[in-house]
Amino acid sequence: MIRKIAFATVWVLDQDRAKDFYVNTLGFEVQSDERLGSFRWLTVAPKGQDVAFVLMPLAPNPMMDAPTVAALRALVEKGVMGPGGLLTDDVHAAYAELVKKGVKFVYPPKDQPYGIETILRDDSGNPFSLVQRRK
């Protein structure tokens, strides 16, 4: 029986730049950075968490031809491929810290029925919901 999620794919325009953003800006840690021939398996996660993001490059590969890559790249660059949400204990503090680091946000923190939320964009333009859940 399946017991948990191991990883989720985040499509990135440049793996090295994405690694720098997730590690040095968001404070994630690298869980895996392996070469499999010309393919690079790069995963990152918040410290102490075992579910990771695979920072997947947008490049032709055995599962995607060049036209598919181009279509997916256009969607990522447009910022419509929201890969998920991130949790924080203090969204206002996280927002202030990340703004100082140059992170782009869609809007500042605001009250929602489920908590306080803001939307940040990674270095490739992917939007992430950053939420402080209600207690």
Side-chain angles (χ1 to χ4, degrees), residues 5-13 15 18-19 22 28-29 31-34 36 39-45 50-58 83 122 126 128:
I5 295 170
F7 58 84
T9 300
V10 176
W11 297 103
V12 299
L13 303 177
Q15 274 185 312
K19 178 182 176 182
Y22 283 89
F28 285 26
E29 62 186 0
Q31 289 192 337
S32 181
D33 192 351
E34 305 294 329
L36 307 166
F39 179 76
R40 182 180 182 191
W41 179 257
L42 174 59
T43 64
V44 297
D50 59 348
V51 177
F53 289 147
V54 178
L55 302 180
M56 190 68 71
L58 285 163
D122 74 2
N126 292 304
F128 285 89

PDB file of all heavy atoms in Angstrom, residues 5-13 15 18-19 22 28-29 31-34 36 39-45 50-58 83 122 126 128:
ATOM      1  N   ILE A   5       3.813  10.551   0.090  1.00  0.00           N
ATOM      2  CA  ILE A   5       4.374  11.180  -1.107  1.00  0.00           C
ATOM      3  C   ILE A   5       5.875  11.345  -0.889  1.00  0.00           C
ATOM      4  O   ILE A   5       6.311  11.784   0.178  1.00  0.00           O
ATOM      5  CB  ILE A   5       3.714  12.549  -1.351  1.00  0.00           C
ATOM      6  CG1 ILE A   5       2.228  12.369  -1.661  1.00  0.00           C
ATOM      7  CG2 ILE A   5       4.428  13.303  -2.460  1.00  0.00           C
ATOM      8  CD1 ILE A   5       1.440  13.658  -1.675  1.00  0.00           C
ATOM      9  N   ALA A   6       6.668  11.016  -1.890  1.00  0.00           N
ATOM     10  CA  ALA A   6       8.122  11.126  -1.791  1.00  0.00           C
ATOM     11  C   ALA A   6       8.637  12.439  -2.371  1.00  0.00           C
ATOM     12  O   ALA A   6       9.523  13.073  -1.804  1.00  0.00           O
ATOM     13  CB  ALA A   6       8.789   9.958  -2.503  1.00  0.00           C
ATOM     14  N   PHE A   7       8.100  12.831  -3.534  1.00  0.00           N
ATOM     15  CA  PHE A   7       8.559  14.062  -4.171  1.00  0.00           C
ATOM     16  C   PHE A   7       7.504  14.578  -5.128  1.00  0.00           C
ATOM     17  O   PHE A   7       6.580  13.865  -5.504  1.00  0.00           O
ATOM     18  CB  PHE A   7       9.893  13.864  -4.894  1.00  0.00           C
ATOM     19  CG  PHE A   7       9.875  12.801  -5.958  1.00  0.00           C
ATOM     20  CD1 PHE A   7       9.424  13.083  -7.239  1.00  0.00           C
ATOM     21  CD2 PHE A   7      10.308  11.517  -5.686  1.00  0.00           C
ATOM     22  CE1 PHE A   7       9.395  12.106  -8.219  1.00  0.00           C
ATOM     23  CE2 PHE A   7      10.296  10.527  -6.663  1.00  0.00           C
ATOM     24  CZ  PHE A   7       9.835  10.831  -7.928  1.00  0.00           C
ATOM     25  N   ALA A   8       7.667  15.829  -5.504  1.00  0.00           N
ATOM     26  CA  ALA A   8       6.809  16.468  -6.501  1.00  0.00           C
ATOM     27  C   ALA A   8       7.708  17.252  -7.447  1.00  0.00           C
ATOM     28  O   ALA A   8       8.725  17.820  -7.037  1.00  0.00           O
ATOM     29  CB  ALA A   8       5.812  17.404  -5.835  1.00  0.00           C
ATOM     30  N   THR A   9       7.341  17.280  -8.709  1.00  0.00           N
ATOM     31  CA  THR A   9       8.141  17.961  -9.724  1.00  0.00           C
ATOM     32  C   THR A   9       7.829  19.441  -9.781  1.00  0.00           C
ATOM     33  O   THR A   9       6.676  19.841  -9.806  1.00  0.00           O
ATOM     34  CB  THR A   9       7.884  17.329 -11.107  1.00  0.00           C
ATOM     35  OG1 THR A   9       8.261  15.950 -11.052  1.00  0.00           O
ATOM     36  CG2 THR A   9       8.671  18.025 -12.195  1.00  0.00           C
ATOM     37  N   VAL A  10       8.884  20.244  -9.808  1.00  0.00           N
ATOM     38  CA  VAL A  10       8.781  21.670 -10.073  1.00  0.00           C
ATOM     39  C   VAL A  10       9.618  21.919 -11.324  1.00  0.00           C
ATOM     40  O   VAL A  10      10.828  21.688 -11.329  1.00  0.00           O
ATOM     41  CB  VAL A  10       9.310  22.525  -8.892  1.00  0.00           C
ATOM     42  CG1 VAL A  10       9.273  24.007  -9.246  1.00  0.00           C
ATOM     43  CG2 VAL A  10       8.505  22.250  -7.636  1.00  0.00           C
ATOM     44  N   TRP A  11       8.961  22.337 -12.400  1.00  0.00           N
ATOM     45  CA  TRP A  11       9.670  22.609 -13.651  1.00  0.00           C
ATOM     46  C   TRP A  11      10.439  23.915 -13.517  1.00  0.00           C
ATOM     47  O   TRP A  11       9.882  24.931 -13.090  1.00  0.00           O
ATOM     48  CB  TRP A  11       8.691  22.694 -14.815  1.00  0.00           C
ATOM     49  CG  TRP A  11       7.985  21.398 -15.045  1.00  0.00           C
ATOM     50  CD1 TRP A  11       6.707  21.085 -14.700  1.00  0.00           C
ATOM     51  CD2 TRP A  11       8.535  20.232 -15.644  1.00  0.00           C
ATOM     52  NE1 TRP A  11       6.417  19.785 -15.049  1.00  0.00           N
ATOM     53  CE2 TRP A  11       7.536  19.238 -15.635  1.00  0.00           C
ATOM     54  CE3 TRP A  11       9.777  19.917 -16.192  1.00  0.00           C
ATOM     55  CZ2 TRP A  11       7.733  17.967 -16.153  1.00  0.00           C
ATOM     56  CZ3 TRP A  11       9.979  18.645 -16.703  1.00  0.00           C
ATOM     57  CH2 TRP A  11       8.960  17.685 -16.682  1.00  0.00           C
ATOM     58  N   VAL A  12      11.722  23.891 -13.852  1.00  0.00           N
ATOM     59  CA  VAL A  12      12.567  25.080 -13.712  1.00  0.00           C
ATOM     60  C   VAL A  12      13.263  25.401 -15.025  1.00  0.00           C
ATOM     61  O   VAL A  12      13.532  24.517 -15.842  1.00  0.00           O
ATOM     62  CB  VAL A  12      13.597  24.909 -12.574  1.00  0.00           C
ATOM     63  CG1 VAL A  12      12.889  24.712 -11.238  1.00  0.00           C
ATOM     64  CG2 VAL A  12      14.568  23.766 -12.831  1.00  0.00           C
ATOM     65  N   LEU A  13      13.552  26.680 -15.198  1.00  0.00           N
ATOM     66  CA  LEU A  13      14.211  27.141 -16.418  1.00  0.00           C
ATOM     67  C   LEU A  13      15.709  26.878 -16.381  1.00  0.00           C
ATOM     68  O   LEU A  13      16.331  26.696 -17.428  1.00  0.00           O
ATOM     69  CB  LEU A  13      13.927  28.633 -16.630  1.00  0.00           C
ATOM     70  CG  LEU A  13      12.446  29.002 -16.708  1.00  0.00           C
ATOM     71  CD1 LEU A  13      12.290  30.512 -16.856  1.00  0.00           C
ATOM     72  CD2 LEU A  13      11.758  28.264 -17.849  1.00  0.00           C
ATOM     73  N   GLN A  15      18.497  24.735 -13.679  1.00  0.00           N
ATOM     74  CA  GLN A  15      18.649  23.987 -12.432  1.00  0.00           C
ATOM     75  C   GLN A  15      19.617  24.646 -11.453  1.00  0.00           C
ATOM     76  O   GLN A  15      19.350  24.669 -10.257  1.00  0.00           O
ATOM     77  CB  GLN A  15      19.125  22.558 -12.710  1.00  0.00           C
ATOM     78  CG  GLN A  15      18.012  21.598 -13.014  1.00  0.00           C
ATOM     79  CD  GLN A  15      18.523  20.183 -13.162  1.00  0.00           C
ATOM     80  OE1 GLN A  15      19.496  19.928 -13.865  1.00  0.00           O
ATOM     81  NE2 GLN A  15      17.854  19.248 -12.522  1.00  0.00           N
ATOM     82  N   ALA A  18      17.890  27.632  -9.975  1.00  0.00           N
ATOM     83  CA  ALA A  18      16.819  27.172  -9.088  1.00  0.00           C
ATOM     84  C   ALA A  18      17.399  26.628  -7.784  1.00  0.00           C
ATOM     85  O   ALA A  18      16.878  26.919  -6.697  1.00  0.00           O
ATOM     86  CB  ALA A  18      15.975  26.112  -9.784  1.00  0.00           C
ATOM     87  N   LYS A  19      18.463  25.860  -7.875  1.00  0.00           N
ATOM     88  CA  LYS A  19      19.116  25.334  -6.669  1.00  0.00           C
ATOM     89  C   LYS A  19      19.536  26.483  -5.760  1.00  0.00           C
ATOM     90  O   LYS A  19      19.288  26.460  -4.551  1.00  0.00           O
ATOM     91  CB  LYS A  19      20.324  24.475  -7.047  1.00  0.00           C
ATOM     92  CG  LYS A  19      21.085  23.918  -5.858  1.00  0.00           C
ATOM     93  CD  LYS A  19      22.292  23.117  -6.336  1.00  0.00           C
ATOM     94  CE  LYS A  19      23.126  22.618  -5.187  1.00  0.00           C
ATOM     95  NZ  LYS A  19      24.324  21.894  -5.648  1.00  0.00           N
ATOM     96  N   TYR A  22      16.286  28.065  -4.124  1.00  0.00           N
ATOM     97  CA  TYR A  22      15.649  27.256  -3.089  1.00  0.00           C
ATOM     98  C   TYR A  22      16.540  27.080  -1.860  1.00  0.00           C
ATOM     99  O   TYR A  22      16.051  27.088  -0.727  1.00  0.00           O
ATOM    100  CB  TYR A  22      15.211  25.900  -3.651  1.00  0.00           C
ATOM    101  CG  TYR A  22      13.956  26.002  -4.468  1.00  0.00           C
ATOM    102  CD1 TYR A  22      13.997  26.271  -5.828  1.00  0.00           C
ATOM    103  CD2 TYR A  22      12.708  25.870  -3.866  1.00  0.00           C
ATOM    104  CE1 TYR A  22      12.836  26.410  -6.579  1.00  0.00           C
ATOM    105  CE2 TYR A  22      11.541  26.000  -4.600  1.00  0.00           C
ATOM    106  CZ  TYR A  22      11.616  26.266  -5.957  1.00  0.00           C
ATOM    107  OH  TYR A  22      10.456  26.395  -6.689  1.00  0.00           O
ATOM    108  N   PHE A  28      16.017  26.024   1.923  1.00  0.00           N
ATOM    109  CA  PHE A  28      15.863  24.575   1.766  1.00  0.00           C
ATOM    110  C   PHE A  28      17.251  23.934   1.810  1.00  0.00           C
ATOM    111  O   PHE A  28      18.275  24.594   1.737  1.00  0.00           O
ATOM    112  CB  PHE A  28      15.215  24.247   0.426  1.00  0.00           C
ATOM    113  CG  PHE A  28      13.735  24.526   0.339  1.00  0.00           C
ATOM    114  CD1 PHE A  28      13.100  25.480   1.119  1.00  0.00           C
ATOM    115  CD2 PHE A  28      12.970  23.842  -0.584  1.00  0.00           C
ATOM    116  CE1 PHE A  28      11.741  25.729   1.002  1.00  0.00           C
ATOM    117  CE2 PHE A  28      11.601  24.080  -0.708  1.00  0.00           C
ATOM    118  CZ  PHE A  28      10.987  25.020   0.086  1.00  0.00           C
ATOM    119  N   GLU A  29      17.255  22.598   1.891  1.00  0.00           N
ATOM    120  CA  GLU A  29      18.511  21.859   1.794  1.00  0.00           C
ATOM    121  C   GLU A  29      18.450  20.922   0.594  1.00  0.00           C
ATOM    122  O   GLU A  29      17.371  20.478   0.205  1.00  0.00           O
ATOM    123  CB  GLU A  29      18.793  21.085   3.074  1.00  0.00           C
ATOM    124  CG  GLU A  29      17.771  20.033   3.425  1.00  0.00           C
ATOM    125  CD  GLU A  29      18.018  19.388   4.787  1.00  0.00           C
ATOM    126  OE1 GLU A  29      18.991  19.751   5.462  1.00  0.00           O
ATOM    127  OE2 GLU A  29      17.230  18.509   5.161  1.00  0.00           O
ATOM    128  N   GLN A  31      18.669  17.504  -0.998  1.00  0.00           N
ATOM    129  CA  GLN A  31      18.561  16.110  -0.557  1.00  0.00           C
ATOM    130  C   GLN A  31      19.308  15.180  -1.499  1.00  0.00           C
ATOM    131  O   GLN A  31      19.836  14.169  -1.088  1.00  0.00           O
ATOM    132  CB  GLN A  31      17.097  15.697  -0.457  1.00  0.00           C
ATOM    133  CG  GLN A  31      16.389  16.352   0.701  1.00  0.00           C
ATOM    134  CD  GLN A  31      15.030  15.738   0.974  1.00  0.00           C
ATOM    135  OE1 GLN A  31      14.422  15.127   0.107  1.00  0.00           O
ATOM    136  NE2 GLN A  31      14.545  15.928   2.168  1.00  0.00           N
ATOM    137  N   SER A  32      19.318  15.536  -2.783  1.00  0.00           N
ATOM    138  CA  SER A  32      19.987  14.704  -3.774  1.00  0.00           C
ATOM    139  C   SER A  32      20.421  15.584  -4.937  1.00  0.00           C
ATOM    140  O   SER A  32      19.677  16.455  -5.372  1.00  0.00           O
ATOM    141  CB  SER A  32      19.029  13.618  -4.267  1.00  0.00           C
ATOM    142  OG  SER A  32      19.660  12.793  -5.215  1.00  0.00           O
ATOM    143  N   ASP A  33      21.622  15.369  -5.418  1.00  0.00           N
ATOM    144  CA  ASP A  33      22.130  16.055  -6.611  1.00  0.00           C
ATOM    145  C   ASP A  33      23.027  15.060  -7.329  1.00  0.00           C
ATOM    146  O   ASP A  33      24.224  14.977  -7.075  1.00  0.00           O
ATOM    147  CB  ASP A  33      22.886  17.327  -6.231  1.00  0.00           C
ATOM    148  CG  ASP A  33      23.175  18.223  -7.437  1.00  0.00           C
ATOM    149  OD1 ASP A  33      22.938  17.790  -8.586  1.00  0.00           O
ATOM    150  OD2 ASP A  33      23.630  19.354  -7.229  1.00  0.00           O
ATOM    151  N   GLU A  34      22.407  14.270  -8.188  1.00  0.00           N
ATOM    152  CA  GLU A  34      23.097  13.157  -8.840  1.00  0.00           C
ATOM    153  C   GLU A  34      23.034  13.277 -10.353  1.00  0.00           C
ATOM    154  O   GLU A  34      22.030  13.737 -10.906  1.00  0.00           O
ATOM    155  CB  GLU A  34      22.444  11.822  -8.444  1.00  0.00           C
ATOM    156  CG  GLU A  34      22.346  11.577  -6.957  1.00  0.00           C
ATOM    157  CD  GLU A  34      23.689  11.409  -6.285  1.00  0.00           C
ATOM    158  OE1 GLU A  34      24.629  10.914  -6.946  1.00  0.00           O
ATOM    159  OE2 GLU A  34      23.801  11.759  -5.095  1.00  0.00           O
ATOM    160  N   LEU A  36      22.913  11.229 -13.840  1.00  0.00           N
ATOM    161  CA  LEU A  36      22.601   9.936 -14.451  1.00  0.00           C
ATOM    162  C   LEU A  36      22.838  10.115 -15.939  1.00  0.00           C
ATOM    163  O   LEU A  36      21.919  10.427 -16.684  1.00  0.00           O
ATOM    164  CB  LEU A  36      21.141   9.547 -14.155  1.00  0.00           C
ATOM    165  CG  LEU A  36      20.741   9.565 -12.675  1.00  0.00           C
ATOM    166  CD1 LEU A  36      19.237   9.512 -12.519  1.00  0.00           C
ATOM    167  CD2 LEU A  36      21.404   8.407 -11.958  1.00  0.00           C
ATOM    168  N   PHE A  39      21.509  13.412 -17.534  1.00  0.00           N
ATOM    169  CA  PHE A  39      20.373  13.834 -16.726  1.00  0.00           C
ATOM    170  C   PHE A  39      20.818  14.126 -15.296  1.00  0.00           C
ATOM    171  O   PHE A  39      21.612  13.383 -14.716  1.00  0.00           O
ATOM    172  CB  PHE A  39      19.302  12.735 -16.724  1.00  0.00           C
ATOM    173  CG  PHE A  39      18.098  13.057 -15.889  1.00  0.00           C
ATOM    174  CD1 PHE A  39      17.140  13.950 -16.347  1.00  0.00           C
ATOM    175  CD2 PHE A  39      17.932  12.474 -14.648  1.00  0.00           C
ATOM    176  CE1 PHE A  39      16.018  14.247 -15.576  1.00  0.00           C
ATOM    177  CE2 PHE A  39      16.822  12.760 -13.875  1.00  0.00           C
ATOM    178  CZ  PHE A  39      15.866  13.660 -14.338  1.00  0.00           C
ATOM    179  N   ARG A  40      20.305  15.200 -14.731  1.00  0.00           N
ATOM    180  CA  ARG A  40      20.625  15.570 -13.350  1.00  0.00           C
ATOM    181  C   ARG A  40      19.377  15.448 -12.483  1.00  0.00           C
ATOM    182  O   ARG A  40      18.368  16.103 -12.727  1.00  0.00           O
ATOM    183  CB  ARG A  40      21.145  17.005 -13.315  1.00  0.00           C
ATOM    184  CG  ARG A  40      21.564  17.487 -11.950  1.00  0.00           C
ATOM    185  CD  ARG A  40      22.055  18.909 -12.063  1.00  0.00           C
ATOM    186  NE  ARG A  40      22.526  19.454 -10.800  1.00  0.00           N
ATOM    187  CZ  ARG A  40      22.800  20.732 -10.623  1.00  0.00           C
ATOM    188  NH1 ARG A  40      22.666  21.591 -11.634  1.00  0.00           N
ATOM    189  NH2 ARG A  40      23.203  21.160  -9.457  1.00  0.00           N
ATOM    190  N   TRP A  41      19.453  14.613 -11.441  1.00  0.00           N
ATOM    191  CA  TRP A  41      18.375  14.433 -10.477  1.00  0.00           C
ATOM    192  C   TRP A  41      18.704  15.320  -9.282  1.00  0.00           C
ATOM    193  O   TRP A  41      19.610  15.040  -8.508  1.00  0.00           O
ATOM    194  CB  TRP A  41      18.289  12.971 -10.065  1.00  0.00           C
ATOM    195  CG  TRP A  41      17.228  12.658  -9.066  1.00  0.00           C
ATOM    196  CD1 TRP A  41      17.415  12.433  -7.729  1.00  0.00           C
ATOM    197  CD2 TRP A  41      15.833  12.528  -9.300  1.00  0.00           C
ATOM    198  NE1 TRP A  41      16.209  12.172  -7.122  1.00  0.00           N
ATOM    199  CE2 TRP A  41      15.214  12.224  -8.071  1.00  0.00           C
ATOM    200  CE3 TRP A  41      15.031  12.642 -10.434  1.00  0.00           C
ATOM    201  CZ2 TRP A  41      13.852  12.025  -7.937  1.00  0.00           C
ATOM    202  CZ3 TRP A  41      13.669  12.447 -10.305  1.00  0.00           C
ATOM    203  CH2 TRP A  41      13.094  12.140  -9.075  1.00  0.00           C
ATOM    204  N   LEU A  42      17.948  16.424  -9.146  1.00  0.00           N
ATOM    205  CA  LEU A  42      18.213  17.419  -8.119  1.00  0.00           C
ATOM    206  C   LEU A  42      16.958  17.608  -7.283  1.00  0.00           C
ATOM    207  O   LEU A  42      15.913  18.011  -7.808  1.00  0.00           O
ATOM    208  CB  LEU A  42      18.626  18.748  -8.776  1.00  0.00           C
ATOM    209  CG  LEU A  42      18.808  19.963  -7.882  1.00  0.00           C
ATOM    210  CD1 LEU A  42      19.873  19.730  -6.816  1.00  0.00           C
ATOM    211  CD2 LEU A  42      19.173  21.174  -8.739  1.00  0.00           C
ATOM    212  N   THR A  43      17.047  17.281  -5.984  1.00  0.00           N
ATOM    213  CA  THR A  43      15.887  17.436  -5.099  1.00  0.00           C
ATOM    214  C   THR A  43      16.258  18.336  -3.924  1.00  0.00           C
ATOM    215  O   THR A  43      17.386  18.285  -3.412  1.00  0.00           O
ATOM    216  CB  THR A  43      15.372  16.085  -4.573  1.00  0.00           C
ATOM    217  OG1 THR A  43      16.366  15.472  -3.759  1.00  0.00           O
ATOM    218  CG2 THR A  43      14.981  15.167  -5.710  1.00  0.00           C
ATOM    219  N   VAL A  44      15.283  19.144  -3.515  1.00  0.00           N
ATOM    220  CA  VAL A  44      15.454  20.048  -2.379  1.00  0.00           C
ATOM    221  C   VAL A  44      14.208  19.986  -1.506  1.00  0.00           C
ATOM    222  O   VAL A  44      13.124  19.642  -1.985  1.00  0.00           O
ATOM    223  CB  VAL A  44      15.689  21.505  -2.837  1.00  0.00           C
ATOM    224  CG1 VAL A  44      16.983  21.635  -3.648  1.00  0.00           C
ATOM    225  CG2 VAL A  44      14.506  22.038  -3.643  1.00  0.00           C
ATOM    226  N   ALA A  45      14.366  20.333  -0.228  1.00  0.00           N
ATOM    227  CA  ALA A  45      13.233  20.337   0.698  1.00  0.00           C
ATOM    228  C   ALA A  45      13.559  21.241   1.876  1.00  0.00           C
ATOM    229  O   ALA A  45      14.730  21.494   2.167  1.00  0.00           O
ATOM    230  CB  ALA A  45      12.954  18.926   1.200  1.00  0.00           C
ATOM    231  N   ASP A  50      11.224  15.097   4.612  1.00  0.00           N
ATOM    232  CA  ASP A  50      11.651  14.098   3.639  1.00  0.00           C
ATOM    233  C   ASP A  50      10.897  14.159   2.321  1.00  0.00           C
ATOM    234  O   ASP A  50      11.331  13.571   1.340  1.00  0.00           O
ATOM    235  CB  ASP A  50      11.605  12.682   4.227  1.00  0.00           C
ATOM    236  CG  ASP A  50      10.229  12.274   4.711  1.00  0.00           C
ATOM    237  OD1 ASP A  50       9.342  13.130   4.810  1.00  0.00           O
ATOM    238  OD2 ASP A  50      10.044  11.080   5.004  1.00  0.00           O
ATOM    239  N   VAL A  51       9.787  14.872   2.234  1.00  0.00           N
ATOM    240  CA  VAL A  51       9.118  15.079   0.953  1.00  0.00           C
ATOM    241  C   VAL A  51       9.854  16.223   0.247  1.00  0.00           C
ATOM    242  O   VAL A  51      10.058  17.282   0.831  1.00  0.00           O
ATOM    243  CB  VAL A  51       7.627  15.435   1.124  1.00  0.00           C
ATOM    244  CG1 VAL A  51       6.985  15.711  -0.218  1.00  0.00           C
ATOM    245  CG2 VAL A  51       6.902  14.315   1.854  1.00  0.00           C
ATOM    246  N   ALA A  52      10.268  15.992  -0.988  1.00  0.00           N
ATOM    247  CA  ALA A  52      11.123  16.953  -1.676  1.00  0.00           C
ATOM    248  C   ALA A  52      10.519  17.418  -2.993  1.00  0.00           C
ATOM    249  O   ALA A  52       9.640  16.771  -3.559  1.00  0.00           O
ATOM    250  CB  ALA A  52      12.488  16.317  -1.953  1.00  0.00           C
ATOM    251  N   PHE A  53      11.029  18.547  -3.463  1.00  0.00           N
ATOM    252  CA  PHE A  53      10.755  19.012  -4.822  1.00  0.00           C
ATOM    253  C   PHE A  53      11.887  18.522  -5.715  1.00  0.00           C
ATOM    254  O   PHE A  53      13.060  18.669  -5.367  1.00  0.00           O
ATOM    255  CB  PHE A  53      10.745  20.539  -4.908  1.00  0.00           C
ATOM    256  CG  PHE A  53       9.568  21.216  -4.269  1.00  0.00           C
ATOM    257  CD1 PHE A  53       9.718  22.449  -3.676  1.00  0.00           C
ATOM    258  CD2 PHE A  53       8.305  20.642  -4.281  1.00  0.00           C
ATOM    259  CE1 PHE A  53       8.643  23.098  -3.104  1.00  0.00           C
ATOM    260  CE2 PHE A  53       7.218  21.277  -3.707  1.00  0.00           C
ATOM    261  CZ  PHE A  53       7.394  22.517  -3.118  1.00  0.00           C
ATOM    262  N   VAL A  54      11.533  17.936  -6.842  1.00  0.00           N
ATOM    263  CA  VAL A  54      12.513  17.640  -7.877  1.00  0.00           C
ATOM    264  C   VAL A  54      12.572  18.884  -8.753  1.00  0.00           C
ATOM    265  O   VAL A  54      11.558  19.290  -9.328  1.00  0.00           O
ATOM    266  CB  VAL A  54      12.100  16.426  -8.744  1.00  0.00           C
ATOM    267  CG1 VAL A  54      13.136  16.183  -9.832  1.00  0.00           C
ATOM    268  CG2 VAL A  54      11.895  15.198  -7.896  1.00  0.00           C
ATOM    269  N   LEU A  55      13.734  19.513  -8.828  1.00  0.00           N
ATOM    270  CA  LEU A  55      13.912  20.685  -9.689  1.00  0.00           C
ATOM    271  C   LEU A  55      14.238  20.161 -11.083  1.00  0.00           C
ATOM    272  O   LEU A  55      15.382  19.847 -11.405  1.00  0.00           O
ATOM    273  CB  LEU A  55      15.010  21.597  -9.135  1.00  0.00           C
ATOM    274  CG  LEU A  55      14.769  22.094  -7.708  1.00  0.00           C
ATOM    275  CD1 LEU A  55      15.908  22.992  -7.248  1.00  0.00           C
ATOM    276  CD2 LEU A  55      13.430  22.809  -7.586  1.00  0.00           C
ATOM    277  N   MET A  56      13.196  20.035 -11.896  1.00  0.00           N
ATOM    278  CA  MET A  56      13.293  19.366 -13.190  1.00  0.00           C
ATOM    279  C   MET A  56      13.530  20.389 -14.302  1.00  0.00           C
ATOM    280  O   MET A  56      12.724  21.304 -14.478  1.00  0.00           O
ATOM    281  CB  MET A  56      12.001  18.591 -13.453  1.00  0.00           C
ATOM    282  CG  MET A  56      12.073  17.672 -14.645  1.00  0.00           C
ATOM    283  SD  MET A  56      13.191  16.279 -14.410  1.00  0.00           S
ATOM    284  CE  MET A  56      12.296  15.296 -13.217  1.00  0.00           C
ATOM    285  N   PRO A  57      14.607  20.199 -15.054  1.00  0.00           N
ATOM    286  CA  PRO A  57      14.893  21.148 -16.136  1.00  0.00           C
ATOM    287  C   PRO A  57      13.932  20.979 -17.309  1.00  0.00           C
ATOM    288  O   PRO A  57      13.482  19.869 -17.596  1.00  0.00           O
ATOM    289  CB  PRO A  57      16.318  20.788 -16.554  1.00  0.00           C
ATOM    290  CG  PRO A  57      16.434  19.332 -16.254  1.00  0.00           C
ATOM    291  CD  PRO A  57      15.585  19.119 -15.007  1.00  0.00           C
ATOM    292  N   LEU A  58      13.638  22.083 -17.940  1.00  0.00           N
ATOM    293  CA  LEU A  58      12.806  22.058 -19.146  1.00  0.00           C
ATOM    294  C   LEU A  58      13.718  21.853 -20.345  1.00  0.00           C
ATOM    295  O   LEU A  58      14.278  22.807 -20.895  1.00  0.00           O
ATOM    296  CB  LEU A  58      12.015  23.360 -19.263  1.00  0.00           C
ATOM    297  CG  LEU A  58      10.850  23.436 -18.285  1.00  0.00           C
ATOM    298  CD1 LEU A  58      10.353  24.847 -18.139  1.00  0.00           C
ATOM    299  CD2 LEU A  58       9.738  22.523 -18.757  1.00  0.00           C
ATOM    300  N   PRO A  83       2.887  24.977  -8.540  1.00  0.00           N
ATOM    301  CA  PRO A  83       3.172  23.634  -8.076  1.00  0.00           C
ATOM    302  C   PRO A  83       2.677  23.292  -6.686  1.00  0.00           C
ATOM    303  O   PRO A  83       2.680  22.140  -6.307  1.00  0.00           O
ATOM    304  CB  PRO A  83       4.687  23.530  -8.132  1.00  0.00           C
ATOM    305  CG  PRO A  83       5.200  24.895  -8.271  1.00  0.00           C
ATOM    306  CD  PRO A  83       4.080  25.790  -8.676  1.00  0.00           C
ATOM    307  N   ASP A 122       9.025  31.667  -7.588  1.00  0.00           N
ATOM    308  CA  ASP A 122      10.415  31.236  -7.555  1.00  0.00           C
ATOM    309  C   ASP A 122      11.173  31.897  -8.708  1.00  0.00           C
ATOM    310  O   ASP A 122      10.615  32.716  -9.446  1.00  0.00           O
ATOM    311  CB  ASP A 122      10.530  29.707  -7.552  1.00  0.00           C
ATOM    312  CG  ASP A 122      10.222  29.032  -8.882  1.00  0.00           C
ATOM    313  OD1 ASP A 122       9.940  29.719  -9.886  1.00  0.00           O
ATOM    314  OD2 ASP A 122      10.249  27.783  -8.914  1.00  0.00           O
ATOM    315  N   ASN A 126       7.413  30.191 -11.094  1.00  0.00           N
ATOM    316  CA  ASN A 126       6.398  29.318 -10.503  1.00  0.00           C
ATOM    317  C   ASN A 126       5.798  29.971  -9.267  1.00  0.00           C
ATOM    318  O   ASN A 126       6.528  30.385  -8.367  1.00  0.00           O
ATOM    319  CB  ASN A 126       7.026  27.980 -10.090  1.00  0.00           C
ATOM    320  CG  ASN A 126       7.454  27.150 -11.264  1.00  0.00           C
ATOM    321  OD1 ASN A 126       6.664  26.854 -12.137  1.00  0.00           O
ATOM    322  ND2 ASN A 126       8.729  26.774 -11.282  1.00  0.00           N
ATOM    323  N   PHE A 128       3.885  29.946  -5.672  1.00  0.00           N
ATOM    324  CA  PHE A 128       3.636  29.099  -4.515  1.00  0.00           C
ATOM    325  C   PHE A 128       2.799  29.868  -3.510  1.00  0.00           C
ATOM    326  O   PHE A 128       3.115  31.017  -3.188  1.00  0.00           O
ATOM    327  CB  PHE A 128       4.944  28.706  -3.815  1.00  0.00           C
ATOM    328  CG  PHE A 128       5.736  27.667  -4.528  1.00  0.00           C
ATOM    329  CD1 PHE A 128       6.673  28.022  -5.484  1.00  0.00           C
ATOM    330  CD2 PHE A 128       5.554  26.322  -4.235  1.00  0.00           C
ATOM    331  CE1 PHE A 128       7.409  27.055  -6.133  1.00  0.00           C
ATOM    332  CE2 PHE A 128       6.287  25.353  -4.890  1.00  0.00           C
ATOM    333  CZ  PHE A 128       7.224  25.721  -5.850  1.00  0.00           C
TER     334      PHE A 128
END
